[in-house]
Amino acid sequence: MIASVVAPGECQVWWAGPRDHPEGTLLSVLSEPELERAARFRREPDRRRFLTGSWLLRTASAVQLGVRPEDVVVDRSCPDCTRYHGKPQVRAPGFPLHVSVSHSEDRVAVAVTTEGPLGVDVEAVPADPVDDLARCALTEAELSVLEAFPQEDRYEAFAKVWVRKEAALKATGHGLRVPPTEVAVSGPADDPALLSWPLDIPPESLRFRVLSPGRGYVAAVAVITGRPVEAVEFHLPAARADFARGPLPGPLAGVA
């Protein structure tokens, strides 16, 4: 089906691969600051992921706003410095469109909604032991839960917890300026929920949805809102302009 305007009570997540579209297609809609930032990447895979994420953000936002992707006004100003690497914001007077971008290896995701600030995160399941990462990222309670998993299952279990923390902190715009050890979320086998964090936003106002990025990856989206929100995923085929619409049943999960 053709991608549509995001409905009330809905969060859309758009997926693409960093090699699915010709570079000329990606470059053709980007702004000068985006092109300048892309040119600074030293590794080609990182550059392609940034280009694809920027293009996909403009493509998804253009559908919502009824404009061309190149006419979408994207602001990536950083609150802490003059570099163009802050949380992206789409400037559209009278249209409160909230957006978020994430990428990992062969997956690029863009989330859009009008419900409230949101964050999306996708991660490849680690191939190496996660014990050191876990000690830097998890609370003591989360570490205890992780250690109860068999060793071979800890890789994915850790990633499931991590994407919830990342999505939550991206929703507020704080990112890793808030230590992840100060953000407590539910266990990887439980419905996703924020239990506590050092911010003034009530944890129960953050609602999660587990996403379907494909085998070998985990992903989640978090929306700050006072009501349930459904998530709908669009998987963008390579070098095509139509989208497969895949509704996910049920509302985003929050803290009861």
Side-chain angles (χ1 to χ4, degrees):
M1 295 179 64
I2 302 299
S4 61
V5 174
V6 62
E10 181 180 87
C11 169
Q12 292 183 2
V13 180
W14 295 46
W15 293 99
R19 292 286 178 182
D20 287 349
H21 302 276
E23 184 167 313
T25 298
L26 308 179
L27 294 172
S28 65
V29 303
L30 302 192
S31 67
E32 193 62 34
E34 288 168 329
L35 295 173
E36 291 175 357
R37 181 178 174 188
R40 290 195 292 270
F41 283 94
R42 295 184 177 181
R43 296 181 65 253
E44 178 61 13
D46 294 334
R47 191 178 76 92
R48 286 291 301 214
R49 282 188 283 267
F50 173 76
L51 289 175
T52 301
S54 298
W55 169 81
L56 189 59
L57 173 61
R58 289 177 169 276
T59 299
S61 299
V63 170
Q64 316 308 319
L65 303 176
V67 300
R68 300 180 305 169
E70 56 266 40
D71 293 332
V72 175
V73 180
V74 180
D75 182 2
R76 295 176 184 263
S77 300
C78 176
D80 298 323
C81 69
T82 59
R83 296 177 61 191
Y84 192 68
H85 62 178
K87 179 183 179 180
Q89 299 183 62
V90 172
R91 303 300 187 188
F95 197 101
L97 187 64
H98 302 276
V99 300
S100 183
V101 182
S102 183
H103 44 71
S104 179
E105 295 190 10
D106 290 331
R107 298 290 188 275
V108 179
V110 165
V112 299
T113 189
T114 58
E115 290 300 311
L118 82 165
V120 66
D121 192 56
V122 58
E123 299 288 343
V125 174
D128 299 317
V130 298
D131 295 345
D132 290 342
L133 284 173
R135 283 190 287 271
C136 295
L138 305 188
T139 66
E140 290 297 325
E142 291 164 349
L143 280 171
S144 296
V145 171
L146 183 67
E147 289 167 358
F149 281 80
Q151 186 66 43
E152 64 273 15
D153 295 331
R154 291 182 190 176
Y155 305 91
E156 184 170 348
F158 170 77
K160 287 180 177 179
V161 173
W162 178 252
V163 296
R164 297 173 189 180
K165 293 183 181 236
E166 273 266 44
L169 292 174
K170 290 174 75 173
T172 67
H174 286 83
L176 295 181
R177 287 176 293 173
V178 173
T181 52
E182 297 182 12
V183 179
V185 298
S186 55
D190 300 325
D191 289 338
L194 176 65
L195 305 181
S196 66
W197 60 357
L199 303 179
D200 292 336
I201 302 169
E204 61 270 18
S205 68
L206 197 84
R207 302 178 183 267
F208 289 98
R209 186 61 167 172
V210 175
L211 302 175
S212 302
R215 186 174 181 178
Y217 294 85
V218 295
V221 64
V223 185
I224 301 174
T225 178
R227 61 179 183 172
V229 179
E230 289 187 320
V232 177
E233 297 181 68
F234 294 92
H235 293 270
L236 176 56
R240 290 176 57 188
D242 57 336
F243 300 83
R245 184 181 175 102
L248 300 178
L252 289 162
V255 178

